[in-house]
Amino acid sequence: MSLQDITARISKAETAAGRPAGSVKLIAVSKVQPNERVQAVLEQGHRCFGENRVQEAVGKWPGFMEQFADIDLHLIGPLQTNKARQAIELVNSIHSVDRPKLAKTLARLAQEVGTCPDLFIQVNTGEEDQKAGILPAEADTFIAECRGLDLPIQGLMCIPPVDEEPSLHFALLAKIAEHNGLTGLSMGMSGDFEQAIALGATHVRVGSAIFGERVRPQE
Ligand SMILES: *Cc1c(COP(=O)(O)O)cnc(C)c1O
């Protein structure tokens, strides 16, 4: 697979779903990938990337941002409150807002820094103990709380359980978003982004299908 293959498959899935061309944003997930691979994708003209750790993003992206204009960087992994300031200062979007304490910290820092990334609330649609995200039953309340803090909530994000049909989770996320008047849906990875697009994904997070298998496991 390559960037070109993935963008072609996204276009096809948009058409198949009767959705306008360009309605899905491709976040190329570059976590743990060697810099040469990331550089190659930048040189092909792609500008939208995802990282799941603040530390790694801070080490990698300021250099690329000096070389390439208009990089659109998304934090897609769990965010500790003590790294929130660094995240706000570096990334354009955060997909992992998942608890009141983090929401309050982001609201305070956004005031101090004078800007806030676009935010997605992560929903733990599979209700898995080990996974981050607000539980589906608590989503409406949490979304309201974030709005009360004036946070720029663009939509919802989920990572379906590995052993379940992802479409059920994508459909649930879309339903919660619609119920709350949110239009952004960050869902779909290398193995299931076409299904996610069929169910309304606006942002797909694709790593290994673009860059190849990750060289070392992350955790
Ligand atoms: C790593 C990661 C991805 C990309 O996974 P692939 O299967 O390599 O496409 C997407 N979303 C999140 C939150 C990730 O951590």
Side-chain angles (χ1 to χ4, degrees), residues 135-149:
L135 292 172
E138 292 163 8
D140 294 355
T141 307
F142 185 56
I143 293 165
E145 184 175 353
C146 290
R147 285 177 161 154
L149 291 165

Side-chain angles (χ1 to χ4, degrees), residues 2-203:
S2 68
L3 178 68
Q4 228 181 346
D5 296 324
I6 301 303
T7 52
R9 283 170 59 189
I10 289 173
S11 301
K12 220 169 150 185
E14 285 171 340
T15 308
R19 300 181 51 192
S23 52
V24 178
K25 182 178 262 200
L26 170 60
I27 302 172
V29 179
S30 49
K31 65 181 184 200
V32 201
Q33 297 289 351
N35 279 351
E36 312 83 77
R37 290 188 189 171
V38 181
Q39 175 104 18
V41 169
L42 279 162
E43 280 166 4
Q44 289 171 65
H46 196 73
R47 290 293 178 268
C48 181
F49 291 84
E51 289 286 340
N52 78 337
R53 289 177 161 214
V54 175
Q55 226 41 46
E56 186 179 343
V58 166
K60 186 189 298 186
W61 284 96
F64 284 135
M65 285 169 175
E66 280 177 20
Q67 267 186 79
F68 297 91
D70 302 325
I71 287 173
D72 178 20
L73 190 59
H74 295 247
L75 180 70
I76 60 172
L79 177 57
Q80 294 167 262
T81 49
N82 64 4
K83 303 237 167 72
R85 178 183 288 274
Q86 278 180 297
I88 286 186
E89 287 172 348
L90 182 68
V91 306
N92 304 90
S93 300
I94 298 173
H95 291 238
S96 48
V97 181
D98 63 353
R99 57 198 193 279
K101 186 180 176 210
L102 177 60
K104 288 186 193 117
T105 302
L106 289 170
R108 175 174 54 78
L109 291 170
Q111 285 290 326
E112 283 178 33
V113 177
T115 173
C116 190
D118 289 340
L119 301 177
F120 290 76
I121 291 171
Q122 184 172 354
V123 182
N124 185 355
T125 56
E127 306 191 20
E128 297 172 278
D129 288 337
Q130 79 282 12
K131 205 163 267 173
I134 201 93
L135 292 172
E138 292 163 8
D140 294 355
T141 307
F142 185 56
I143 293 165
E145 184 175 353
C146 290
R147 285 177 161 154
L149 291 165
D150 268 339
L151 289 172
I153 304 296
Q154 304 297 315
L156 305 180
M157 178 271 223
C158 77
I159 309 171
V162 282
D163 54 354
E164 286 183 29
E165 171 53 45
S167 289
L168 300 174
H169 296 271
F170 298 153
L172 173 60
L173 196 72
K175 195 173 130 203
I176 298 170
E178 188 181 4
H179 180 69
N180 285 282
L182 289 168
T183 51
L185 286 171
S186 168
M187 58 190 198
M189 314 192 345
S190 290
D192 54 23
F193 66 88
E194 283 140 323
Q195 284 161 277
I197 291 169
L199 289 163
T202 56
H203 295 65

